[in-house]
Structure formats: C-alpha cells, structure tokens
C-alpha cells in the first residue's frame, strides 16, 4: 500500500467578509480500489488579490492500492477539481446581478428626485452623497458649463434605458440631457464640454441615433477645438487658471475629451478635429509623464512659445505623487486613442501607464481599489477612491482585447478583481441610492472625501456593461 498526498475538492469555501459562506462538498465518491480516510489535517489558504474572500482547500490523505492506472486517475481528478475551483472563483462576479442592482438603485434615486407634484426638475443634476448626509438621495447641482459632472446622470439613465427598454427611463434621460443644451449656445467654458457632451448626448445618440444629438455633438466638438493652442500642441484645460499656473495648462482628465474630437471627425466633422486629438495625445505623452509611466495631473506650457515648463498636481497629494484618478484617466484615454488610431505606439503607451498603475496598486492597497493617492504617507489609513477603480476597470475591459492573449488575461483578470471588490465591499445598497461608497473627489480642497460621487457610478455601470458584452462575444 502506498501513501499519497493529493489536494481534493473535499471542502471548498468562499468566505466573504459579510459572513456569507458558500460551501461545495463532494462527500460521496465511489471508486473501486480506493479506501478514503480523512485524517486530522491543515488548511492551505490561498489569498487572492481581493480582500473580499479567501479560497480554502482542504488537504486530505488518500490511501490507494498500488495501482498505476488508479494513481493516474486520482491525479487527473485532483487537477480537474482544482481547475474547476479556479473557474468558479473567476466566475464569482455575477454581472447580471450587479446590473440589476444598479437598475434598482436608479429606480430608488428617481423616487427621491421626484418632486411633490410628480414632476422632475431636469436642470438639477445629481452630484454626490456625502458621508455626513442623513438623506438617501443625491445632492444635486444646477446643470451648467461650470458643473463638469452634469452629464453623468443622464448617461446613467441612457445606459439603463438600453438595459431595460423602459420608455419612462428614456423620457427622464431626454429631460436631463436637454438640460445641457446651453453648452453649444455660448463660448466654451473649459475642456469639460467633452465630459458633459459624451456622457449625455453621446450615450443618448448610441441608444437613439437621433440626428439632433449628432448635430449637438458635432457643434460641441468644434467648441472644444477652439481651446487648442497649436504652439503648445494641446487643448487648454482651464482658461480661468492660466494666470494661476503662469501659462497654458493641460490636465490629464483632458485625455477623455479627445474622444469627442475623434468621434466628430468620423461622423461629419473636419479632419482637423482628429489631427488636434492625435497631437494632444502625443504632446501629453511626451511631457506629462515620468519615466516609469506615472503622470502629472497638470502640465504647464508657455502660452506663446509652447515650451513645456513643469508638471504639477492640482488634486493629488504632491507634484511627484501618483494621484489614482489622474492615472486612471491616462489608462482610459490612451486605450481610447488606440481604438480610433490603431497606432501601435499609443497601444504600447496605454500598457505602460496601466502596468505602473497595477504595480503600485499591488504595493499600496489591500484590495483592487486604490488609495486616493498612492503616495499618501498615511498608507491604508488614507481614503480610498472607488471612482478610480471604476474608470480603470472599464478601460481594461477594452484594453484586454487589443493586446496579445497572455497580457490580455492579466488585464481582464484585474478588471474582474476590481469589479468584484467594488460589488462585494463598496456598494451603498440600503445606505443611499448611489451604486457605490468610498470615492474621493478633491482631497486637497477637503471636498467629497469618502463619498458617493456620480462619476464613480457612471463608470461602474459602463464597466459592467462592457464585461457583459465581452462575455456574450466570447460565448
């Protein structure tokens, strides 16, 4: 008789922080020539990157008659069991369940937003729910060119309309979208016209094909292009801060707005819009990143000569630190630029800025959600920023399709980890009507720290829908 040690599926558990345990047990396995006896044993813990669960495999002792065929059979059985366990672990994120959760939360939010007479004030767009707030509903701000978050709520409603086909949701989406119609009736305020337009009219155009929405987006793209400085090679982000920074300023967030220019150039707008977007991406790549691929939030240039002056922060911990959401904009932005250009050097750079983010995330966080700034000296005592994780997860579910398979799997698995952690440990659920808790807006200004913020919800839902679409494609 020979003694073997094998890992079997005699006990497999997912132990969630919330105290919920799923236990799968194969207790009756009848194999000829096998006498199985489980002796006192030790547990082998496999900690995943996510702190949300532990995978536990029970080590069992199996006595087997001296039979080579049976040895091979048992070995194959053990390998298959482990493979099945791993597949179950990776499939632990129930995308449809999380999408339904978002739909339910939107329904609750709309109830809170409804006025006493049953109508909605479409001019007031949801922005945040602060940690100290007692109400369940959103704090709203008046839709305006100055309120950069005004487009995210209509975008969420358009995505929900696409999910449900509910005509009431379309009506609400149209109302909140049209509240932004002033954007093209006056000179552009700043670069955020891209966020404001893409998330509202852009999502609406995806769902309806409305020519009115298309024309609005083309006009908005032309307005955004007026901020371009051909001496510098980038779009001016904040005209109101030129004196504050001592020159032309370009922030990393601006990478997202290039999508409006690319889209417009392919849908009736001028080729110049595409040229501006490409030059902006190239100039930013040249000056606004450190050697390791981490970014400065703000790049300052001489307005007249175009010379790069310095890289600084506005919302990060320090000029030299990695502000998580700033890096997330870079990941999302360069992935999108590659989508439109198919230029390999943009794809290479998208991977570079992603890889340093994932490396630093592993070094500084206890899960897949980053600290608001990865160089905050408080370490794990510093606030998290769920919004950054949402932006990165959405970007990685696109980027994973552009790179070679082994690298794509790394990015895909990272996105799954992010969405799993967000879904298991960061959802607001009964606390309020948002999707998520624990985002950080402008930490240096003491604004929206550890809060529910509308753009976190937007990118969370977008990431879930991208994952569902990718899963359907692969199936």
């Amino acid at each position: 008789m020979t003694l073997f040690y094998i890992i079997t599926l005699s006990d497999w558990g997912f132990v969630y922080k919330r105290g919920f345990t799923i236990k799968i047990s194969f207790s009756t396995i009848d194999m000829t020539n096998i006498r199985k006896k489980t002796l006192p044993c030790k547990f082998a813990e496999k900690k995943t990157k996510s702190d949300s669960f532990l995978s536990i495999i029970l080590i069992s002792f199996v006595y087997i008659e001296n039979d080579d065929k049976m040895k091979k059979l048992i070995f194959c059985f053990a390998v298959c069991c482990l493979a099945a366990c791993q597949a179950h672990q990776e499939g632990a994120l129930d995308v449809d369940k999380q999408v339904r959760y978002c739909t339910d939360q939107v329904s609750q939010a709309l109830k809170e937003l409804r006025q006493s007479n049953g109508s909605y004030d479409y001019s007031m767009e949801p922005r945040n729910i602060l940690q100290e707030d007692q109400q369940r509903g959103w704090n709203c701000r008046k839709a305006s060119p100055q309120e950069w978050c005004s487009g995210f709520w209509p975008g969420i409603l358009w995505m929900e309309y696409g999910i449900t086909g509910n005509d009431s949701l379309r009506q609400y989406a149209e109302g909140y979208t049209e509240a932004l119609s002033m954007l093209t009736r006056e000179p552009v305020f700043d670069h955020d016209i891209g966020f404001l337009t893409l998330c509202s009219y852009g999502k609406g155009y995806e769902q309806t094909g409305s020519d009115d929405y298309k024309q609005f987006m083309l006009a908005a793209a032309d307005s955004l292009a007026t901020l371009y400085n051909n001496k510098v090679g980038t779009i001016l982000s904040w005209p109101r801060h030129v004196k504050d920074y001592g020159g032309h300023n370009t922030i990393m967030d601006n990478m997202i707005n290039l999508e409006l220019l690319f889209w417009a150039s392919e849908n009736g707008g001028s080729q110049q819009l595409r040229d501006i977007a490409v030059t902006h991406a190239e100039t930013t790549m040249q000056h606004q990143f450190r050697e390791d691929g981490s970014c400065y939030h703000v790049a300052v240039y001489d307005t007249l000569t175009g010379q790069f002056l310095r890289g600084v922060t506005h919302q990060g911990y320090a000029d030299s630190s990695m502000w998580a959401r700033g890096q997330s904009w870079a990941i999302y932005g360069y992935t999108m630029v590659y989508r439109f250009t198919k230029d390999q050097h943009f794809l290479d750079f998208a991977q570079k800025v992603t890889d340093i983010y994932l490396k630093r995330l592993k070094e500084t966080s206890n899960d897949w959600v980053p600290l608001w700034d990865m160089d905050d000296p408080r370490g794990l005592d510093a606030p998290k920023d769920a919004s950054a994780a949402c932006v990165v997860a959405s970007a990685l579910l696109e980027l994973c399709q552009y790179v070679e398979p082994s690298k794509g799997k790394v990015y895909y698995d990272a996105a799954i980890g992010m969405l799993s952690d967000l879904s298991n440990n960061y959802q607001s659920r009964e606390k309020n009507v948002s999707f998520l808790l624990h985002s950080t807006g402008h930490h240096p200004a003491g604004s929206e720290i550890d809060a529910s913020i509308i753009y976190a919800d937007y990118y969370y839902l977008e990431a879930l829908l991208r994952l569902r679409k990718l899963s359907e494609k692969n199936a």
Side-chain angles (χ1 to χ4, degrees), residues 2-21:
T2 307
L3 179 65
F4 284 84
Y5 296 87
I6 68 168
I7 301 174
T8 72
L9 197 63
S10 55
D11 193 4
W12 177 264
F14 291 104
V15 184
Y16 290 85
K17 280 184 176 179
R18 299 182 182 276
F20 178 64
T21 304

Side-chain angles (χ1 to χ4, degrees), residues 201 205 209-219 263 267-268:
Y201 285 89
Y205 182 71
S210 165
D211 188 63
D212 288 343
Y213 285 8
K214 176 181 179 180
Q215 296 306 317
F216 185 95
M217 293 174 70
L218 290 171
W263 178 91
N267 287 273

Side-chain angles (χ1 to χ4, degrees), residues 266-404:
E266 294 182 359
N267 287 273
S270 72
Q271 174 67 28
Q272 184 183 16
L273 297 174
R274 176 187 173 88
D275 295 341
I276 288 172
V278 170
T279 303
H280 180 109
E282 290 175 337
T283 304
T284 299
M285 184 167 62
Q286 181 180 358
H287 295 299
Q288 208 161 336
F289 291 87
R290 306 177 189 92
E291 187 174 345
D292 66 358
S294 61
C295 70
Y296 298 104
H297 183 199
V298 186
V300 183
Y301 301 86
D302 187 294
T303 301
L304 299 179
T305 67
Q307 179 184 358
F308 173 70
L309 301 178
R310 61 190 176 278
V312 298
T313 195
H314 181 74
Q315 288 174 259
Y317 174 75
D319 291 345
S320 60
S321 68
M322 184 187 283
W323 176 47
R325 196 165 66 253
Q327 196 72 18
S328 78
W329 296 138
I331 295 167
Y332 194 107
Y334 279 97
T335 299
M336 172 271 299
V337 170
Y338 176 74
R339 183 204 315 155
F340 282 100
T341 65
K342 295 298 184 286
D343 189 319
Q344 183 64 38
H345 84 293
F346 286 132
L347 180 58
D348 293 341
F349 198 70
Q351 293 177 76
K352 181 176 182 177
V353 299
T354 298
D355 293 345
I356 186 60
Y357 176 92
L358 295 177
K359 176 178 182 292
R360 294 297 313 282
L361 178 66
K362 182 178 180 180
E363 294 169 349
T364 59
S365 182
N366 58 355
D367 63 6
W368 284 102
V369 177
L371 304 179
W372 76 279
D373 190 297
M374 295 188 187
D375 292 294
D376 187 317
R378 292 173 292 177
L380 293 176
D381 290 329
K384 291 293 190 79
D385 186 6
S387 73
C390 296
V391 174
V392 173
S394 185
L396 292 184
L397 289 168
E398 178 177 4
L399 182 58
C400 72
Q401 302 176 68
Y402 299 148
V403 299
E404 51 89 17

Side-chain angles (χ1 to χ4, degrees), residues 6-12 46 56-59 75-89:
I6 68 168
I7 301 174
T8 72
L9 197 63
S10 55
D11 193 4
W12 177 264
K46 179 187 175 185
I56 303 174
I57 302 174
L58 182 65
I59 306 297
F75 176 76
C76 291
F77 174 72
V79 170
C80 290
C81 286
L82 289 172
C85 291
Q86 181 65 25
H88 180 82
Q89 175 181 319

Side-chain angles (χ1 to χ4, degrees), residues 86-87 89-95 354-355 358 368 389 392-420 463-475:
Q86 181 65 25
Q89 175 181 319
E90 291 177 355
L93 176 66
D94 187 336
V95 180
T354 298
D355 293 345
L358 295 177
W368 284 102
V392 173
S394 185
L396 292 184
L397 289 168
E398 178 177 4
L399 182 58
C400 72
Q401 302 176 68
Y402 299 148
V403 299
E404 51 89 17
S406 62
K407 192 68 170 289
K409 186 178 186 303
V410 171
Y411 292 159
Y412 177 84
D413 289 348
I416 296 299
M418 293 168 196
L419 289 174
S420 295
L464 289 172
L465 294 179
R466 283 183 170 185
L467 177 58
R468 187 160 75 172
K469 183 176 181 180
L470 183 58
S471 299
E472 291 171 351
K473 175 183 176 182
N474 291 339

